[in-house]
Amino acid sequence: MRLLFIFCAIFPLFFVSAVQPNVIFIMADDQGSVDLGCYGAKDLHTPHMDALAASGVRFTQFYSAAPVCSPSRAGVLTGRWPVRAGVPGNCASQKGAKGALPPEEVTMAEMFKAAGYATAHIGKWHIGYTPETSPLAQGFDHSFGHMGGCIDNRSHFFYWQGPNIHDLWRNGTEVFHDGEFFPDLMVREAVEFIKVQRDRPFFIYYALNTPHYPYQGDAKWLEHFKDMPDPRRLYAAFLAAQDERLGKLFAKLDMLGLRENTIIVFQSDNGHSTEERAHFGGGSAGPLRGAKFSLLEGGIRLPAIISWPGHLTKGEVRDQVAHACDWLPTLAELTGIKPPQTHLDGRSLAAVIRDAKAPSPHENHALHWQVGAGHNADWAVREGSWKLIGHSRDTSSSDGKSTKLENLLFDLSRDPAEKINLAEKHPDILVRLTKLHDEHLR
């Protein structure tokens, strides 16, 4: 018995919970590359997200599956490159419109449901707006939120394309909560789901509508940041509102005694927005170039955290390259369940999470990004420290204008800000990475 005690004390990270762990996957919307205190932001208020990092592991070279909403989410939920998963670009934001994750794709929710988990989607969907492409058709037992790209957080209307439509649904039925702040509704819905399902393992895909435009922070946070210039003030207030509601969700887990048996993952879907509707900015990529819609680092290199107190290491940083498609196989390994029997592009990060010296699972494999289809598609490849942007745009500007990018080669180990194009100096690498992209498409 004494030997067993010593062994457990030395190797606690290799033991799984006696009870199958719950999983809450939090996806922020348009949150910038460095927009957390734990990522260096000095002017923001994010104590609860920072505490999540302090209780777990955060990544410094984590990539989203795409620089825009729908393909990014498709990559997370399927563990497959968005193009392979059938979502090369943004999906429908109007009921019945085209663009969706194909029903035959196997989602993270379907994986957990097959293992006996209760599953819930709460928040934004944006990968299908028909009954056969809804959350309930993709493995979720319960769904609450909006099906399109964004909503006004108090009227719950989508105002940005086509006719203005009310977009708030619970299990396929339109519901009305006029005047209630959507982040508050999300917390309430999640807590009720957890209370009902607390005696069995649960998986919640908690897809935030924040800090995506419209920036609608609480009056108290706008007052708190009153001396900050716009649009950073508007963004900071909205992000603080997001953090405050996440704190309420985490507190409820603590109160119910579930925190140590719940894996929490947090990431942003893509870089901060510089669109007119986002006041041409507010978020930040720090020293990186690019923003939402761009395959420069500022559009796809984002905050990512995993926490499981008592089971995974805490307060540590991982510099290894990681990718959003990796979460599905990672969570399968950590929870001890079978991943989908389909081709996965993601690779488990479990070894990296447990050991700071473990190599990235992508050390000998290229990462690919593509948005759109055909010859005009935006695409990029990263292999080792080399990154080729075959076709994209620089959306860093605060005037809403973007600059076309083509055949730019960067050595990220020396130039993470992507300032020096080495394509002419290393034509052999340019050719090799272009071939990798062509093979990837085939």
Side-chain angles (χ1 to χ4, degrees), residues 45 71 225 227:
H45 182 81
F225 292 108
D227 296 326

Side-chain angles (χ1 to χ4, degrees), residues 20-23 111-112 117 263 308 330-337:
Q20 206 157 23
N22 310 306
V23 177
M111 176 184 78
F112 280 111
Y117 277 65
I263 300 170
W308 188 14
T330 300
L331 292 171
E333 181 171 346
L334 292 178
T335 57
I337 65 177

Side-chain angles (χ1 to χ4, degrees), residues 43-167:
D43 58 344
L44 300 175
H45 182 81
T46 58
H48 297 105
M49 286 182 278
D50 296 338
L52 190 69
S55 71
V57 175
R58 69 177 178 90
F59 290 87
T60 63
Q61 290 197 80
F62 179 89
Y63 290 96
S64 65
V68 67
C69 299
S70 297
S72 177
R73 290 155 200 278
V76 163
L77 288 174
T78 65
R80 289 152 60 85
W81 307 130
V83 171
R84 194 192 304 279
V87 186
N90 265 347
C91 296
S93 280
Q94 296 279 358
K95 188 175 182 181
K98 294 181 179 180
L101 180 69
E104 60 269 20
E105 288 294 319
V106 181
T107 68
M108 195 182 289
E110 289 172 296
M111 176 184 78
F112 280 111
K113 188 171 183 175
Y117 277 65
T119 58
H121 150 259
I122 297 173
K124 176 173 174 173
W125 184 238
H126 204 197
I127 48 174
Y129 213 141
T130 62
E132 61 272 15
T133 60
S134 70
L136 297 181
Q138 291 283 15
F140 289 99
D141 300 316
H142 182 82
S143 172
F144 172 78
H146 58 99
M147 299 297 103
C150 61
I151 54 172
D152 176 89
N153 288 280
R154 296 195 184 278
S155 71
H156 317 128
F157 267 72
F158 176 79
Y159 291 114
W160 294 272
Q161 178 187 348
N164 298 337
I165 59 168
H166 180 262
D167 185 9

Side-chain angles (χ1 to χ4, degrees), residues 262-309:
T262 301
I263 300 170
I264 298 178
V265 174
F266 172 89
Q267 74 154 89
S268 178
D269 64 344
N270 47 250
H272 68 287
S273 174
T274 54
E275 298 164 87
E276 181 178 10
R277 297 162 185 156
H279 306 268
F280 300 111
S284 175
L288 306 177
R289 284 176 67 193
K292 182 180 180 180
F293 300 117
S294 175
L295 288 172
L296 289 165
E297 294 288 278
I300 55 176
R301 187 161 163 175
L302 303 162
I305 300 165
I306 183 169
S307 171
W308 188 14

Side-chain angles (χ1 to χ4, degrees), residues 134-416:
S134 70
L136 297 181
Q138 291 283 15
F140 289 99
D141 300 316
H142 182 82
S143 172
F144 172 78
H146 58 99
M147 299 297 103
C150 61
I151 54 172
D152 176 89
N153 288 280
R154 296 195 184 278
S155 71
H156 317 128
F157 267 72
F158 176 79
Y159 291 114
W160 294 272
Q161 178 187 348
N164 298 337
I165 59 168
H166 180 262
D167 185 9
L168 189 61
W169 307 82
R170 180 178 289 110
N171 296 327
T173 300
E174 188 173 13
V175 292
F176 296 87
H177 292 276
D178 298 350
E180 295 185 73
F181 195 41
F182 185 63
D184 288 330
L185 293 175
M186 285 184 63
V187 174
R188 191 167 75 199
E189 197 80 15
V191 169
E192 287 304 310
F193 180 80
I194 291 168
K195 285 180 178 178
V196 171
Q197 303 295 344
R198 61 181 298 183
D199 293 329
R200 63 182 290 200
F202 59 79
F203 164 66
I204 299 177
Y205 172 50
Y206 198 79
L208 297 163
N209 188 45
T210 54
H212 191 290
Y213 62 77
Y215 297 158
Q216 294 176 305
D218 304 290
K220 70 174 184 178
W221 292 119
L222 289 166
E223 174 65 20
H224 178 86
F225 292 108
K226 64 182 180 180
D227 296 326
M228 185 182 289
D230 286 338
R232 185 67 168 175
R233 176 183 70 98
L234 301 173
Y235 177 90
F238 204 25
L239 194 61
Q242 169 185 306
D243 184 85
E244 182 178 27
R245 273 65 182 193
L246 287 177
K248 292 180 179 179
L249 179 61
F250 301 157
K252 183 59 67 171
L253 286 174
D254 290 336
M255 190 181 79
L256 294 173
L258 296 173
R259 184 66 182 88
E260 291 194 356
N261 198 47
T262 301
I263 300 170
I264 298 178
V265 174
F266 172 89
Q267 74 154 89
S268 178
D269 64 344
N270 47 250
H272 68 287
S273 174
T274 54
E275 298 164 87
E276 181 178 10
R277 297 162 185 156
H279 306 268
F280 300 111
S284 175
L288 306 177
R289 284 176 67 193
K292 182 180 180 180
F293 300 117
S294 175
L295 288 172
L296 289 165
E297 294 288 278
I300 55 176
R301 187 161 163 175
L302 303 162
I305 300 165
I306 183 169
S307 171
W308 188 14
H311 301 273
L312 299 177
T313 189
K314 64 179 182 178
E316 294 196 7
V317 177
R318 298 290 184 264
D319 298 320
Q320 294 93 324
V321 173
H323 189 276
C325 288
D326 298 336
W327 287 126
L328 188 148
T330 300
L331 292 171
E333 181 171 346
L334 292 178
T335 57
I337 65 177
K338 291 182 179 181
Q341 298 303 299
T342 185
H343 178 93
L344 295 179
D345 295 303
R347 299 169 183 272
S348 177
L349 298 169
V352 170
I353 292 166
R354 290 176 169 133
D355 183 358
K357 296 181 180 179
S360 165
H362 302 288
E363 196 167 80
N364 299 311
H365 301 88
L367 293 176
H368 296 270
W369 294 269
Q370 178 164 323
V371 180
H375 297 296
N376 293 322
D378 286 6
W379 64 272
V381 180
R382 175 171 177 172
E383 183 188 45
S385 64
W386 291 103
K387 178 181 172 187
L388 170 63
I389 295 180
H391 186 265
S392 188
R393 48 182 165 149
D394 185 350
T395 55
S396 306
S397 176
S398 60
D399 61 6
K401 298 178 181 179
S402 61
T403 305
K404 184 178 179 179
L405 307 174
E406 202 154 5
N407 288 332
L408 301 182
L409 180 67
F410 303 107
D411 180 356
L412 296 179
S413 65
R414 299 184 178 186
D415 180 27

